[in-house]
Amino acid sequence: MTSHQNTQTMKPATAAKKLGVYLEATPAEFQEGVVSRAELVALQTDPPQWLLDLRRDGPHPRPVVADRLGVSIAGLARGGVTEALTTEQIEELRSENPEWLPRERATQAEVRKEAARLEEKKADEAAQSRDTRS
């Protein structure tokens, strides 16, 4: 009995998400095909020019926009940003510094601080649990 190795593939939307790019801005052949795991690895390790350009100039998907602005995706929505933005548009937002941006950055900083506190608490509890069993 021989074993057949199936090539795992993913939809273009999944591949675009893993690559951190906006699907609608990718070439038509990328959008219309399927991407194998090997192709994804190749795109990650040796990106073609179109991928380099997209990562540099955009348009960027909302998770990337949020990360570059230092806010959450929900914070973007509260600020009225619901579409993909180019690097230039992100820089314009930074320089304009609309009222919502510092507020959402502060909110995001608090969320991260709380997550770090909870992680530290969890680690302390795990250490105490190990110490009591010893």
Side-chain angles (χ1 to χ4, degrees):
M1 196 173 185
T2 60
S3 64
H4 296 282
Q5 187 173 13
N6 291 335
T7 302
Q8 289 184 328
T9 59
M10 61 192 82
K11 294 178 182 177
T14 303
K17 187 174 184 178
K18 290 179 181 285
L19 292 169
V21 295
Y22 186 57
L23 177 62
E24 286 77 9
T26 60
E29 60 270 10
F30 181 86
Q31 292 180 38
E32 295 164 1
V34 293
V35 180
S36 71
R37 293 223 180 259
E39 290 169 331
L40 179 67
V41 169
L43 288 168
Q44 291 169 325
T45 56
D46 187 22
Q49 191 60 47
W50 66 263
L51 184 54
L52 294 172
D53 293 344
L54 265 181
R55 287 178 170 166
R56 183 185 62 243
D57 302 326
H60 305 287
R62 287 181 302 145
V64 173
V65 174
D67 186 54
R68 289 187 178 194
L69 290 173
V71 301
S72 67
I73 294 172
L76 279 180
R78 286 190 292 269
V81 178
T82 57
E83 299 297 320
L85 298 179
T86 64
T87 300
E88 185 178 318
Q89 290 170 315
I90 293 169
E91 291 305 318
E92 285 175 17
L93 260 177
R94 281 187 183 144
S95 65
E96 291 170 4
N97 202 26
E99 170 193 321
W100 62 268
L101 189 54
R103 183 178 62 240
E104 291 300 335
R105 282 181 174 157
T107 299
Q108 184 70 356
E110 285 299 314
V111 167
R112 288 183 178 140
K113 193 166 119 181
E114 179 65 7
R117 184 191 71 78
L118 290 173
E119 191 65 34
E120 185 177 322
K121 180 181 175 187
K122 183 178 172 182
D124 288 346
E125 288 171 353
Q128 285 178 355
S129 177
R130 281 192 307 271
D131 290 345
T132 58
R133 284 187 276 170
S134 299

